[in-house]
Amino acid sequence: MISTLRRRLALALAVAALLTAEVAPAVAGPAGPSAAERLRRDAAALHALGISGVQARVVGPDGRQWIATSGSADLDTGRPVSSLGYFRMASTSKTLIATVVLQLEAEGRLSLGDTVEDWLPGVVRGNGNDGRRITLRQLLRHTSGLYDALPGYTSPQEYYEQRFRVWDAGQLVDLALAHPPDFPPGSDWSYSNTGYVLLAMIIQQVTGHPAHREIENRILGPLGLDETRWMGASPTLPRPHARAYEFFGPGLRVDVTDRIPVDHDNLSWVTTTRDENRLFRALLQGRLLPARQLAKMKQTVAVSADVQLLWPGGRYGLGLVQRPLSCGGVYWGHEGGDGGYITLNGVTGDGRRSAVVSMSEARGDTMEHVLEQESAASTLIDHALCAAGSSIR
């Protein structure tokens, strides 16, 4: 989650903004308590928590869409939230990285049993870290034990000092290797951005191209995802977009929209709710991976106790999260959050029903607020996927 789940627990809140719930007029919901009305209520409930801006989009089995927005895109001007607004994809891009790795496996160009040492000789060594013992599968599943050392900020001062700093992949790996591993490879689970930094490096080693280029050529281009863009070291987003806010304590609400993502090679993607729905539907429908690789992606393990607080009943596969539905069965997705943009998503196992909600404010001043925001957003996804007419697997 924000680049790192640990840092998601420190993201922030800002209160107040106008409530402007809207539903896409061109799309009708089903009879009874309509999907449109349910989505509007859930988006408004998120805004009522103090989240400045919310946009959500649900796509049904027949391709019908329901859209709701709530709150303000700019606390200074009161500008309404756009349902077409861009936001930072953040850790949802781990699904993109994992998909490329599994495509390369399907092509016979690498194996998930390969070690880090096989592809990056001598890169992971020291303080008990040993790339000869860590497999690509363990990197993908967060069972490598590598320390999660992605830099972050915990105060307005740190944000202003660090927001335009550019880190390269080698520096980020070195930060992690300055710490001993959390556990021996394969013996436990701990969310580690370091593993995905290494996976991107391995993609480049295998293909000769940066990971973002492979993602563009293998995923975005074939699916026509024109609203998903790699921004590199640019600190800005395309228009339209909501301003992003974090709350560091009473009186310390900060606009954190403009910043360079720490791992700008892999986390500087921006997207829209429309593209993110299309991505996860295509993935679960088998349009990006052969059946064998998609099945591997969906082989999950239990997550750590602290992450269970955020994802009750959640399990982690290969760059893909499995969560239970209140109506029975499970759904798939990968949360992301960075610089005040927090996004949850989900798609049924057959890829026929999907939902994305993006919030442009993070309530991170207390654990209670973090869990409250996470729970309300998860409820929106659950309601959307459990709506009448969905097919759950």
Side-chain angles (χ1 to χ4, degrees), residues 193-226:
N193 289 283
T194 306
Y196 277 77
V197 173
L198 289 165
L199 285 166
M201 294 169 67
I202 289 169
I203 288 172
Q204 179 157 1
Q205 190 72 12
V206 175
T207 66
H209 305 124
H212 69 84
R213 186 66 63 200
E214 291 295 317
I215 288 168
E216 290 166 346
N217 293 339
R218 292 169 171 271
I219 300 174
L220 307 186
L223 295 181
L225 301 184
D226 298 331

Side-chain angles (χ1 to χ4, degrees), residues 41 78 80-81 88 107 147 149 156 158 173-174 200 219 229 249 256 264 290 305 315 340 345 351 354 368 383:
R41 290 198 309 262
V81 174
R88 289 197 170 97
E107 295 164 11
Y147 186 82
E158 288 183 354
V173 172
D174 287 344
I219 300 174
R229 307 178 187 178
V256 296
H264 71 276
R315 295 176 62 85
N345 45 56
S354 64
E368 179 183 1
H383 284 170

